[in-house]
């Protein structure tokens, strides 16, 4: 089969590789019908994720059709259309029993396209298939469901639910890239009074409006603290969601939250930040961090099929699997191309 | 001044009475600009609420203008436009400190139009004014805010929040009168996948659709259990809200909830019900009851002003204060008149 | 091997039966080192549980040694000492993913000694071994850990956690049989100000004191409502736990809870109860029911090994496996024998 | 009367000052029967709290007898024995309605001995007396109840409840001064499996054992991370409580918490800390900060009177009010004197 193989920093190729086979009896082999590219894949290609080594097939998001299952797989059958989640769950360890699949101690967690071969390929081996795949509901398209592999649960779980967004809240979202937009879409489900999107790029703020932001702030020229203070009688946001991953945006998020407020970090950080405890110790704040667990996948599937969430809105570009070079290029130049999520499908 | 005075079962009159005066230094006297009639007022008129005695001015909902305040009132000033909540809160007892104002031990709770004179009058004395009134926000109409005196917080607190409605849930609402509609409107804030309204009258089910129900079931001719089973893979509703107050509807609600589900009772019951513990003991259900506390009033005010809630949708008929007889008649014959909430305003 | 086989109402025998074999690849065969008898087993013997048919081996609690495992078992190995929980969990269905194993949709739930052969035998087949057994921690005895198979998690989950016992609470426990005692022991973990045990038998109330009750009430001659009113300034108990399973005790529990209080039903009920909603609708109560899920087993194991819980306190009588007749007799006449839990061990 | 008056950094005097009078009608004047000194008072004396100006009477903790009340005080009467809490609550603002009294917007919060005259005096004026004092329960001593003015609710609310300590948890407490000991005493109420106290001074660790620590670690010579890893199978503490207020201890606390764990900051910080988000972003941690609200005072009163908490254990030294110089000296040299809390009483 063909797959997108990583060959060290800056090097990748759509090349022939052996088709994966059942290695453990709880595995499934899934034919990839649709896959996508994540910001994390760009980090890997820069060499920022040393666990990914030469020869690894990239990708951790897919919708596909089950091609084979191991003897121990109970609920997934050949021919089933399934969502392959970015998080693999053994289903039996302490953390999996608590729904904290991202921290799986039994061989799961984020492993696809990271520690084992991934989904940017014609076929992928999915360990612990019973607890790591989800049936695609009737009436939903591959493209919609593909957004549940990573981006939608990440914004919803790590941003919205960790941040405890409630009806009537003022929610600040710092960063309006795909993850910030996912948090905006997820926050909308709880009917906040105002979602305030903050970014340096007007194009991303325009997208934020489409995804449900009520107020947009370009912090290259506007003061988000002042704007939120005005909306909240001087108190600050009920919830501030960090969706970038650099010190300046995290510190901004901590300044935006009101006394008693929540700061939910989604961003992937590469360096320490300064936490102003000399101001925050007295302000009753709650700061959360998290890797997505995808424990909300069943809920999100219901929200998509009942049209409470318009998952397809993320998809800006379409390619076939053999166009990975072009797709990475378009996604990697999102500022120019306006790419949010690109979808690659089998021909 | 003029007021609507109760004179025993079936007897009421719009008559001259003394204008109320400050009795305690935390009182406010509020000029009533808009008031309404509650189903509870109909019960009182039938003689079902013996605590209400001859001579009592009825009514527990108003929006008005502060006419006088006692020396101990801190935050409310003469001339302020205020919401007079159905629940009065001393602010200092154990239950008030927990936000459980409906159970106030310090002389509050539901007292207006019940234990003391009420709001169906030109003026009303409001005890504990600092903790029992709310400023009307700029831009909101009297009529919208009047819906926050009782009906909206009742459906939201006792139905939706007690029932813990969550995104993606299937929510069954048994009874589509004004309280059931309030629960539907409140449940919508959490983006359930389906709200199923159940009633015997097609006209009320038609209203339920307007308020946000996705599915309507006339249980004089359709089987709500079967319809909900089909929506939920046979499991049952995540949340069942009882909004009638008779044994049959409560028992129906307990049959509609899934294992692990919630049954939130809003209805005012006059007799015991049968609880089928021989079936329910093993089903992990949670049953809640409650009198409204109005602790969500600040949240609901933000939801109205940010247009997340269309409070005005409840108002079907308008009268002036001197038209109480006609207003009670229209409200009391809701099945014929289609009345949900009638508003009476100062001329 | 030998096993205790049910042969219809009133009929049981310790007789030869085939040793169980691996039927599915996620099974384990466990040699029973210690088992016990549950009140439910007495119900079965009376013929009250029609799902149990002639030929069924009884029992759903054991500690044992793994004798064989299927090819799909990952974490359990031959020779491991394990707790066999009364609840079997497939680990993959909707409810298992939420920790609600008692409601398992994938073939688990309460099946041992009910729908499949149980633990009152020399060997037992345990389906879904990875998610239905727990390693016995070093230093703990079989007898202590055996109490985690059913009675301790039942009192803790269905009584204490569903009832949301908190430090400083007044907790009423109606019924001081083994399940009530388990609820008392579990409630103690949260440092309530008072645990009030209520029963008709002085001998059980004596046991309640040993398990941590602060106040005991014999309601054949004392008035529990008055006693709790005096302890609580007239308000009532924060939490009332029903641990009997008949209408009178459930209704008592609902009268004991304060406004805003919790009523947690543990009892197995065979008939409907009367719920006095005409009084309770306004009192903000929360009523919960539940079958044990055993999701707290890892926590309870830590509490036993750290000596926060004295699990061995339940064990009043010891037998060997071939003494089942005597053991059932002693356990069945608990009022005379003072039996709480009887332990049967391999010779 | 006499009072302890601050006269700038390093300067204080027990001197004659006017007896306070009712200034607002919700005030009470309380005769101080017992007061104590807080670590914050030492900070003030160093000049670290610029809001405290020359002429201010210090102190924010007292038990006393009501000497006079304003016309608007409802529930407090002359002659009542009351606890004067460190936090004053207006009872009507947004935050007071949520029990977040420390953030009171209506003129309360921490004001005694800070923005208005305090409790280290023969008499003190207490604003909002109905919501800022608590009756001393029968049978409790002044000395026990005095510990509820600040230190016990601080450890319990900001450490234990914010950290969500649960039965069976491993709880790390960094710092075993009075606040750390309070957190240990509060954590004990939830029956954790292990409380690990960490400090540089063996004398404080000895006290930690007395207050309920199971394991003590002197991190001048032992490695707390290794010790906690061994207790937790390598995962880390369920809850880490910071009770010092310097960067090194906060950073230690963040390293001690397991994936999914809680870090509850109690320490008063004077400078920023480094937050290692490059490691923590993926670990699902929750970090909380907070000023005490004293919303748990009613619960703590019940825990003291029911002997679930031994509040008197904090008191190491006794003085009379005219011995403030000596008392400050003993408290200020705690490392030498072993002082935890010193109590000064009226002669």
């Amino acid at each position: 089969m063909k797959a997108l193989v990583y060959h060290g920093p800056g090097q990748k190729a759509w090349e022939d590789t052996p088709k994966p086979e059942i290695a453990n009896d709880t595995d499934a082999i899934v034919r990839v019908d649709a896959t996508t590219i994540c910001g994390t894949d760009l980090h890997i290609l820069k060499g920022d994720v040393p666990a990914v080594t030469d020869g690894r097939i990239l990708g951790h998001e897919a919708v596909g059709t089950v091609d084979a299952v191991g003897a121990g797989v109970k609920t997934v059958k050949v021919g089933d259309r399934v969502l392959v989640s970015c998080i693999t769950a053994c289903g039996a360890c302490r953390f999996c029993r608590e729904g904290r699949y991202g921290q799986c101690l039994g061989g799961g967690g984020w492993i696809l396209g990271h520690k084992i071969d991934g989904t940017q390929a014609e076929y992928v081996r999915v360990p612990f298939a019973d607890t790591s795949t989800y049936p695609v509901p009737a009436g939903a398209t591959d493209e919609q469901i593909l957004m549940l592999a990573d981006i939608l649960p990440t914004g919803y779980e790590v941003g919205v639910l960790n941040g405890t967004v409630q009806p009537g809240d003022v929610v600040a979202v710092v960063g309006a890239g795909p993850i910030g937009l996912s948090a905006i879409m997820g926050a909308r489900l709880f009917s906040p009074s105002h979602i305030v999107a903050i970014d340096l790029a007007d194009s991303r703020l325009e997208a934020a409006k489409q995804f449900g932001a009520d107020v947009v702030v370009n912090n290259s020229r506007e003061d988000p603290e002042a704007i939120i203070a005005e909306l909240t009688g001087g108190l600050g946001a009920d919830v501030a969601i960090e969706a970038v991953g650099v010190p300046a945006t995290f510190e901004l998020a901590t300044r935006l939250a009101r006394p008693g407020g929540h700061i939910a970090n989604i961003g992937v950080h590469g360096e320490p930040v300064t936490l102003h405890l000399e101001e925050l110790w007295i302000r009753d704040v709650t700061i959360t961090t998290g890797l997505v667990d995808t424990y909300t996948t069943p809920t999100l599937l219901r929200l998509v099929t009942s049209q409470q969430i318009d998952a397809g809105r993320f998809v800006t570009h379409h390619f076939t699997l053999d166009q990975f070079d072009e797709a990475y290029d378009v996604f990697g130049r999102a500022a120019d191309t306006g790419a949010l999520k690109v979808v690659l499908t089998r021909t």
Side-chain angles (χ1 to χ4, degrees), chain A:
Chain A
M1 72 165 187
K2 292 277 196 179
L4 191 77
V5 181
Y6 174 72
H7 290 300
Q11 305 296 320
K12 64 177 191 306
W14 179 250
E15 64 189 31
D16 285 306
T17 59
K19 184 178 164 185
E21 297 179 358
I22 299 290
N24 297 298
D25 66 354
T26 51
D27 290 348
I29 305 299
V30 175
R31 187 191 73 194
V32 174
D33 296 327
T35 186
T36 179
I37 305 171
C38 178
T40 305
D41 295 319
L42 301 182
H43 280 291
I44 292 171
L45 274 171
K46 283 193 205 147
D48 289 352
V49 186
V52 181
T53 51
D54 185 1
R56 175 69 65 240
I57 298 174
L58 297 177
H60 49 265
E61 302 164 88
V63 169
T65 305
V66 178
D67 183 65
V69 295
V73 174
K74 309 291 180 202
T75 60
V76 178
K77 298 181 310 298
V78 171
D80 284 357
R81 278 174 75 209
V82 293
L83 165 65
V84 178
S85 176
C86 65
I87 297 294
T88 301
C90 82
C93 75
R94 169 186 178 158
F95 288 131
C96 282
R97 280 164 170 267
E98 297 173 357
R100 206 177 277 285
Y101 308 125
Q103 308 288 340
C104 175
L105 300 169
W110 173 39
I111 56 171
L112 290 172
H114 180 208
K115 298 177 184 171
I116 66 170
D117 285 337
T119 58
Q120 294 176 358
E122 291 183 308
Y123 291 88
V124 59
R125 180 177 71 87
V126 183
F128 307 114
D130 283 328
T131 42
S132 307
T133 67
Y134 299 84
V136 173
T141 65
D142 285 0
E143 184 169 308
Q144 290 174 316
I145 300 307
L146 183 60
M147 298 301 114
L148 272 70
D150 184 340
I151 193 162
L152 266 171
T154 296
Y156 188 58
E157 296 177 6
V158 187
V160 177
L161 296 185
N162 279 3
T164 70
V165 173
Q166 292 298 309
D169 277 358
V170 171
V171 180
V173 178
V174 183
I179 284 291
L181 297 176
S182 170
I184 290 168
M185 186 179 266
R188 197 77 270 158
L189 295 167
F190 286 92
S191 307
S193 73
H194 295 88
I195 297 176
V196 182
I198 300 159
D199 202 298
L200 296 164
D202 289 332
S203 58
R204 284 196 292 261
L205 293 170
E206 197 51 45
K209 280 191 205 166
Q210 303 296 320
F211 275 74
D214 303 284
V215 179
V216 296
V217 180
N218 187 317
N219 61 330
S220 72
R221 58 176 190 264
E222 298 171 293
D223 177 358
E225 289 181 73
I227 290 167
I228 285 174
E230 189 167 335
L231 271 176
T232 58
L235 288 181
D238 299 287
V239 183
I241 297 176
E242 201 279 349
V244 180
V246 300
T249 50
F250 180 81
E251 292 168 30
L252 175 59
T254 63
R255 288 197 303 276
L256 295 176
R258 68 165 170 87
H262 283 251
I263 298 131
N265 183 78
I266 317 180
V268 175
H269 290 259
E271 53 180 316
V273 304
T274 300
L275 184 68
H276 288 281
L277 274 187
E278 80 282 13
E279 292 168 3
L280 292 170
W281 76 267
I282 201 171
R283 281 174 69 84
D284 297 12
V285 294
T286 300
I287 301 170
T288 53
T289 71
L291 177 67
V292 67
D293 292 308
T294 68
Y295 70 94
T296 61
T297 303
T299 297
L300 291 167
L301 286 167
R302 287 196 296 274
L303 288 165
V304 168
T305 55
S306 64
Q307 296 173 304
Q308 299 297 315
I309 281 184
D310 177 9
R313 187 186 288 276
F314 283 100
V315 181
T316 52
H317 296 77
H318 294 84
F319 300 93
T320 52
L321 287 181
D322 55 0
Q323 294 176 306
F324 259 112
D325 276 347
E326 195 176 341
Y328 263 89
D329 178 65
V330 165
F331 184 68
R333 294 187 300 109
D336 298 333
T337 61
L340 297 175
K341 289 294 277 185
V342 302
V343 171
L344 300 100
T345 48
R346 240 170 50 95
T347 44

